[in-house]
Amino acid sequence: MEKIITNFLQEVNQRNTNEPEFMQAVSEVAQTVIPYIVANDIYHGKNILMRMAEPERVVMFRVPWIDDSGEIRVNRGYRIEMNSAIGPYKGGLRFHESVNLSILKFLAFEQVFKNALTTLPMGGGKGGADFNPKGKSDAELMRFCQSFMTELFRHIGPNRDIPAGDIGVGGREIGYMFGQYKRLKNEFTGVLTGKGISWGGSLIRPEATGYGAVYFAQNMLETRGASSEGKKVVISGSGNVAQYAAEKAIQLGSKVLTMSDSSGFIHDPDGIDEEKLAFIMQFKNVRRQRIHKYVEQYPKASFHKGEKPWRVSCDIAMPCATQNELDGVDANILISNGCYCVSEGANMPSTPEAILHFHNNNVLYAPGKASNAGGVAVSGLEMAQNSLRYSWTRDEVDQRLQHIMKDIHQACASYGKGKEGINYEKGANIAGFVKVADAMLAQGVV
Ligand code: NDP
């Protein structure tokens, strides 16, 4: 088996040199899916995983824009259309200086499995630009978004490819891109998700990824007869996913101890309550300030410059910032301090070494493709509401989100159950694979 996996990864690597994040994502899937393929005749001789590891289409383009001092700047834009076997391409746009082909291909590959798990008909894609939105004026951001969409618009559409937000792309950026798309196409369609409520957005969409990751943690805890009530939670990040993971965890009676950004983390031993979280949301989302602002208002809390929050003792860890932010050393520290549940809000935040430690120490570990699927699931519900020209209430959307997270948990459990409990990583990979692979087999070699 090891040889088959190694040969497969070597072949993928030859075609994708210098793409470490993409190889990491493919390798993680191959370890659990190839044994499943070997054990199931219907997938033999179809080269199905190799086909899934090759994007259907990659678009790269120039994004020229003018800054406030009149200087012309150039960034690179991307859209990876990975797989459309079960529906139109769907996945976020990331604006961050680190964006490159490897990062977007890993995200697009993960997205294919994630979207399959949601039970909704969505293929997988991802895109973005190596643009750093930090410190840009509102006018600069708008000009950048308009230039980006002036190329992207010809590749997307409500039945073709429906982007959403990701790191650096929130409601404001979606608004500017939607406006430009509408102007260029002269039509009002549900082409992006994460839209404002008054112009086609869905209630609960901003909250969905973070809420969903907490619901997933709760589903995992229930398998051990436990609940979120009274649990200590350590969260990284302070963006969209982290904020709403914190909000739901607080609502369910947990004590949220930390939040972070790329400058460091804050630790509040009394717990971040609703009022304190509202303060964070205000200075992060409106004033766009850094996380250390928190300790000016709440001096009992401490700020740890340049550090990650994983050495704070907790029951539940929720990495909600970025890929590979939690390594083997961090995992060991978390476990030795009593952490027994990890629900990933970010995509691929745990390194392979960290995941190995979680498995070896019986930690309830949910990979992002399962636990953060609530965001794209509610994006799917936004698309449904746009098609129906209708909107569901907050409670209706939240109920659907909770059902979907339960269904994803169930799918992971049924494919990941073993003697030592549920391996959610294996379950998520195989459940996602089966749905997409079966559709690809039915559609022939295309
Ligand atoms: P945001 O841009 O809203 O927030 C990102 C947060 O992560 C910020 O606090 C940011 O800090 C921090 N961060 C980003 N890069 C780094 C880094 N290299 N090191 C340390 N901290 C970093 O993004 P989201 O909350 O939307 O996304 C967070 C994660 O969740 C990503 O992995 C994304 O792919 C994933 N995700 C998002 C979904 C969504 O619906 N938005 C859906 C599913 C997954 P700073 O401001 O200092 O950069």
Side-chain angles (χ1 to χ4, degrees):
M1 187 64 67
E2 270 313 304
K3 193 155 176 55
I4 302 176
I5 296 172
T6 307
N7 289 346
F8 168 81
L9 291 174
Q10 267 171 1
E11 197 180 330
V12 179
N13 195 33
Q14 268 163 18
R15 281 221 295 274
N16 301 279
T17 43
N18 299 323
E19 295 185 6
E21 293 86 1
F22 177 58
M23 285 310 301
Q24 183 182 336
V26 174
S27 167
E28 192 258 322
V29 165
Q31 309 292 338
T32 47
V33 165
I34 288 181
Y36 184 80
I37 293 175
V38 169
N40 288 276
D41 301 0
I42 57 159
Y43 303 115
H44 292 181
K46 310 286 187 198
N47 215 7
I48 197 83
L49 196 56
M50 189 60 77
R51 284 153 67 190
M52 288 173 73
E54 190 64 27
E56 289 178 15
R57 189 176 299 107
V58 174
V59 188
M60 284 170 68
F61 51 95
R62 179 172 68 206
V63 189
W65 57 283
I66 299 175
D67 70 18
D68 285 348
S69 63
E71 227 176 276
I72 298 171
R73 308 270 203 107
V74 183
N75 285 93
R76 185 172 291 170
Y78 304 82
R79 187 70 184 164
I80 317 293
E81 296 183 334
M82 199 75 194
N83 194 301
S84 62
I86 63 168
Y89 311 105
K90 177 95 198 89
L93 297 170
R94 177 176 291 191
F95 290 169
H96 194 268
E97 61 275 23
S98 65
V99 160
N100 58 33
L101 205 50
S102 173
I103 288 178
L104 293 181
K105 279 170 66 180
F106 114 66
L107 289 164
F109 185 73
E110 291 270 297
Q111 194 82 43
V112 173
F113 292 82
K114 181 190 315 197
N115 292 4
L117 287 171
T118 64
T119 70
L120 302 173
M122 299 181 289
K126 201 83 189 189
D130 60 352
F131 169 76
N132 178 6
K134 285 197 197 90
K136 302 290 185 298
S137 72
D138 207 52
E140 287 178 323
L141 239 136
M142 183 175 72
R143 289 196 291 273
F144 179 82
C145 289
Q146 289 174 341
S147 179
F148 182 81
M149 187 51 82
T150 301
E151 174 57 33
L152 187 67
F153 91 100
R154 63 188 96 246
H155 308 289
I156 61 176
N159 296 309
R160 181 183 299 173
D161 185 348
I162 308 95
D166 190 78
I167 290 177
V169 177
R172 176 177 59 157
E173 292 75 19
I174 293 287
Y176 292 147
M177 287 190 274
F178 182 78
Q180 184 72 350
Y181 180 88
K182 184 165 64 67
R183 188 176 190 197
L184 291 164
K185 293 286 279 191
N186 194 23
E187 59 185 34
F188 194 114
T189 46
V191 70
L192 291 156
T193 57
K195 299 186 290 296
I197 298 301
S198 62
W199 42 280
S202 173
L203 290 162
I204 304 278
R205 175 60 191 91
E207 294 90 334
T209 308
Y211 278 20
V214 174
Y215 292 146
F216 201 93
Q218 203 180 19
N219 290 328
M220 291 198 292
L221 291 172
E222 280 167 12
T223 65
R224 296 197 184 162
S227 81
S228 309
E229 180 88 42
K231 299 291 178 303
K232 288 183 289 174
V233 183
V234 160
I235 294 178
S236 67
S238 51
N240 171 269
V241 178
Q243 289 176 14
Y244 288 106
E247 182 169 283
K248 184 51 71 181
I250 295 164
Q251 285 171 8
L252 295 181
S254 302
K255 189 172 186 181
V256 175
L257 296 172
T258 67
M259 292 187 82
S260 73
D261 60 23
S262 54
S263 68
F265 78 93
I266 54 111
H267 175 203
D268 188 335
D270 293 341
I272 299 168
D273 59 18
E274 280 176 3
E275 188 192 315
K276 293 171 178 176
L277 182 62
F279 176 68
I280 293 177
M281 289 183 174
Q282 170 73 14
F283 75 74
K284 282 298 250 182
N285 306 346
V286 181
R287 302 213 183 100
R288 305 202 180 262
Q289 291 166 320
R290 314 300 294 154
I291 197 68
H292 59 74
K293 181 90 192 148
Y294 186 87
V295 296
E296 289 171 23
Q297 182 82 0
Y298 302 105
K300 273 176 82 183
S302 48
F303 173 63
H304 304 266
K305 193 173 172 193
E307 287 184 41
K308 299 184 284 183
W310 311 127
R311 64 183 163 82
V312 175
S313 159
C314 66
D315 304 295
I316 302 170
M318 298 192 67
C320 296
T322 194
Q323 64 273 0
N324 292 328
E325 56 165 315
L326 196 166
D327 62 20
V329 175
D330 299 325
N332 263 336
I333 294 171
L334 275 171
I335 294 163
S336 59
N337 283 333
C339 174
Y340 63 93
C341 178
V342 177
S343 184
E344 295 184 342
N347 285 309
M348 209 169 74
S350 308
T351 64
E353 294 73 33
I355 296 171
L356 196 64
H357 288 311
F358 295 146
H359 288 322
N360 290 342
N361 288 278
N362 205 21
V363 171
L364 291 165
Y365 163 70
K369 63 170 80 74
S371 48
N372 73 30
V376 73
V378 174
S379 275
L381 301 180
E382 181 173 332
M383 288 159 66
Q385 292 170 82
N386 291 163
S387 299
L388 292 167
R389 305 227 181 277
Y390 193 72
S391 38
W392 294 319
T393 63
R394 196 180 160 84
D395 195 45
E396 277 173 313
V397 180
D398 195 27
Q399 288 299 325
R400 284 173 205 262
L401 171 62
Q402 292 188 46
H403 276 129
I404 289 171
M405 296 316 295
K406 246 199 170 77
D407 286 348
I408 297 174
H409 182 270
Q410 186 51 43
C412 293
S414 62
Y415 283 103
K417 216 173 198 124
K419 279 193 216 103
E420 284 110 40
I422 302 167
N423 180 333
Y424 289 92
E425 184 193 23
K426 177 179 168 195
N429 288 343
I430 298 175
F433 168 79
V434 166
K435 184 162 181 191
V436 177
D438 289 357
M440 288 175 75
L441 292 185
Q443 292 167 25
V445 181
V446 290

